[in-house]
Amino acid sequence: MKVEHFLEKNEVREITIFKQLVLNNGILSYGKMLDHLAVSKASLENDLESITSRIEVFNDQVQVDYDGQEIKLTMSDHISLQHIYRIYLDQSIKMEIINYLFKHQEFSITQLTQQLAISDSSLFRKIKELNTHLKEFGLKIRNGQLQGEELQIRYFYFQFYYYIEDKSALIHLRSDQQITQAVQSVENFLQVNIVPENRQRLNIWLIISKSRITNKNKNYKQLRKQMHPYLKDPLYHKIHVMVLRYYSRYSIEVDEEEAMLHFAFLLAFPILTEHDFHEYTLIRDRHAPIASLDTYIVETIIIHFKFRKLPYMLERDMYYHLTHIHTRLYFFQGDIEIYEYEEMLAREKQVVGKNLVPLARTLLTTSTDKFMSTEVGDNSLLKMELLKYISLLTLISFKMATVIQIGIDLKMDGLYKDTLSQLLILKMRPINGIQIEVYQPSKSYDLILTNEKPDEEHQYQEARVYILSEILSSFDMANIQRIIQELNA
Amino acid sequence: MKVVIIGASFAGVAAALEVRKKHPHAEIILLEKQSTLGYIPNGLHLYWEQKIEHLDEARFITKEQLETQKVQCHLGATVQKINTTQKILHYDYSEQEELISYDKLIIATGSRQLSEKIDGSAHESVLKYKRYGEAQAALVKVEESQHVTIIGGGQVGVEAADLLNKKQKQVTLIESMDYVLFKYLDEEMIQPIEQKMIEEGIDLKLRQTVSSIETNEEQKVTVHLGEDSVTSDAVIMGVNVRPNLHFLDTQVELHMDQTIAVDRYLKTSVKDVFAVGDCIQLSGPGEDMVYIPLINNAVRTGIVAAANLMEPTVTFNGSLRTIGTSIFGHYIASTGMTEAESLFTNQKVKTRRQTVRLNSLPNSETVTLKWVYDADTEVILGAQMISTANILEKINTLALAIQTKQTLEDLQQKDYFFHPAYSPMVSTTNLVSWMEERIDEDES
């Protein structure tokens, strides 16, 4: 599912126009824009008119000027593309349907058509469209209710409120003393520390849980099966005790599965800090599906990179992120694509080089095979988790890259020597994985850059030596880059 | 003024009597769904304990006593709906729909032991005996049963387990938490009881949740718990109670847990409508709003609502969830916050536990007390007691100390009588450290 699925076709085109303008320094010719959108000029004109009326709310803080040749965007420093998306989403009928469902749990067609001021037939059409996108979550709107596994319902609402709807509005509206207290209770009961950004996630999750608690038709079939290996898990036990105690204070008969929902959420999203999570990894059952997959994937990565030993904290970090990824794959279906998958993939490829992406794909296939997932390939959850694997691999390869020590030892008059050395350092600084400085005889280096052949053969010990032809020339730079790559290999 | 009260259990009756005292000329009408009145919930336990000879003796008031107070009682009247705009009630009486108007309405319909989650729990072979009619049926059924399964290890469940065990029944007790009576006692305080239960042969199933109950043709009842199951002759529901408020109109605001939202004067969101007893949340030991269905609260809220009928004058000052009972050879009592419950508050608490003698004689019995207090101010927040002697009345002293926000030091200075046959050198509730036989300080 994507954010744009909540918008109409013309609205998607309009935000694409904004996006293209932002990507092109705020100015783009009609021709290029028409190519990108693949529409007629008349329809582009229509879109631009519509944009003009939409952005009136910004009172000149956002301006789109067009003259038949060029389109130009100006925005004040305090407005971003996100604000613009927001006005489109705020007017979306599909968003309103989800919001209404969340608030009231169910609706009748008459109620909803009156509330939204639309006809029966367009309501049916919107619901049908929503259902095509809800399908990957295993959910559908039927008989005026959101139907499916309870875990999936809460997970969908969470993603919806965290990534699509204005989350601060939800928190403002729904977060009361009781919710704040509940967050505090989670900290007390689990003996963990919840940092501010994680607290916001937990806050939203608890708001959603509170609103769902009294719903009478909850379905846990899948969850009960998934939880089978975790019924003796120490974290689950703590959560279970907390949930039972919490609801024993109210006139609510709580389902046993309520604790299971929280367990899945707490491990699939960054709620615990790495430190608290680590404490849990020491006592969790290593043979349970998620933990054993974590270990398997860590080993696969270590073997791939031919690492002899990982730094202790890096290994802990890997487990932390992998458990999030694997818990998601284990318990959840579907996702909201918060990043443009293709763009992100292309960008990551540039940074990490080509070989990490196939490795990430292998890891994902391994994981889905282990969990015997029946998900189809074109699934947002799988796409998002692939991006996470890639990010993790990138992180690891950055952290594990050997830093190449480079010394600059220029032989010339003092003033030139200092200036040119500094300029050279400045020019080379953007290159990843190097440490560069003016040569100090007491230190050892991997590479020495100099302008004269050394007097003695081992003047620089084991270091490779490159003799610059013309300091700062692109010829030299290319050679140096090549040597760095060779040293890295 | 016409005051209509729905429900003639403790809260409703207390409210009726208090309205009579405050308003000698008011017309007071009590509508009660049951055909009898004033039955003490779980009076069946008194009968099993042989404190009463007939179940019918478990009554705290009679219709006649109420009528001498000029309180009209309509028994067998089931309220179907209320219209708070027109101030009219619809109720069924002798299979006819009747209407009654009111000037002031007090909702005191109480609560039921009912599970919506456990399949088959509504079946008549699954016993609930909070009410008189139910108790009569349960009495007969239990009498002819050999093996009884009790669902829920709260006060009702554990008392029933003890009494039925004494009646030579085989008892299975199922509790979803780690230990029984978890609302009132911390885990270490309950150890002597659980040990005694096991010695007595109670089949104690902790951390188990009942999913469904099946009744077969030979009248055997099977309780399913995950992959386990227990088949016995009878099942007793000792689960948490909940109000049943289907008759309300939408004007009356409810909490998330479907209890009626009231202010400190016990007024609902609708003018001239009050709610009391097991229909509402109260300010609890941690001063947040919680659901504490206890008779003590029912009576006290009934009185407060009656006092506020004309104008808001008296606020309800909350509940400490004070309880006391005798089970498995021990007297236990609790008031205020437990250490486990303190995790739901922002308060940082400390605790102390001590075992002290009850008098100055050589063969004196002892009581183990646990104190929960604020770590900074040392104001007492909760207390728990367990003893083989009857120490129950002492909990009221501690409840008052908590209500009046006394500190540990205040308690040490508390005045008391000394008599060697009845008291130790320092009163047991005074918390003087050098008197202790055993002390565990600052465990938290």
Side-chain angles (χ1 to χ4, degrees), chain A residues 307 394-404 432-434 488:
Chain A
F307 294 140
T394 312
L395 186 80
I396 296 165
S397 64
F398 277 144
K399 288 213 172 155
M400 290 301 287
T402 33
V403 176
I404 294 169
N432 271 322
I434 61 163
N488 255 330

Side-chain angles (χ1 to χ4, degrees), chain A residues 70-96:
Chain A
E70 273 183 345
I71 311 162
K72 202 177 154 202
L73 169 71
T74 32
M75 288 200 288
S76 92
D77 295 348
H78 301 283
I79 303 272
S80 77
L81 210 47
Q82 293 306 318
H83 292 96
I84 294 170
Y85 288 177
R86 183 85 273 135
I87 58 163
Y88 282 87
L89 289 170
D90 282 348
Q91 290 164 12
S92 153
I93 298 276
K94 286 181 205 156
M95 298 273 288
E96 279 194 63

